[in-house]
Amino acid sequence: MIDIDSQIKCVEREISMRNRMYPQWVARKTMTQGKADAELLAMTAVLHTLKVVKKREDPQASLLG
């Protein structure tokens, strides 16, 4: 099992990569802007969900940042 902090870090890296790559893919027309926006929105929602789960598992985590 992969701990929640590792999952959050992984999703944060994925969002960072998408923010770098999607503009290039849109410019090359290998991805539409709409698809890029939707994918980033979905991955951001995943990150939010993981953070909510973490807060529920460890209420003190919300006090730490």
Side-chain angles (χ1 to χ4, degrees):
M1 183 168 168
I2 299 174
D3 67 88
I4 194 81
D5 289 323
S6 295
Q7 292 177 51
I8 288 170
K9 288 176 185 174
C10 182
V11 171
E12 288 172 338
R13 285 191 305 273
E14 181 67 20
I15 290 170
S16 178
M17 185 277 302
R18 290 177 186 211
N19 279 321
R20 285 190 316 274
M21 299 307 298
Y22 283 4
Q24 295 173 37
W25 297 348
V26 169
R28 288 187 213 142
K29 299 185 190 250
T30 57
M31 175 180 269
T32 66
Q33 186 63 56
K35 178 69 172 171
D37 293 344
E39 290 291 320
L40 278 169
L41 188 61
M43 192 56 69
T44 301
V46 170
L47 179 59
H48 174 76
T49 300
L50 288 170
K51 287 181 176 183
V52 167
V53 169
K54 179 178 174 150
K55 283 182 186 178
R56 286 183 183 160
E57 288 180 355
D58 182 9
Q60 294 297 319
S62 62
L63 300 175
L64 303 174

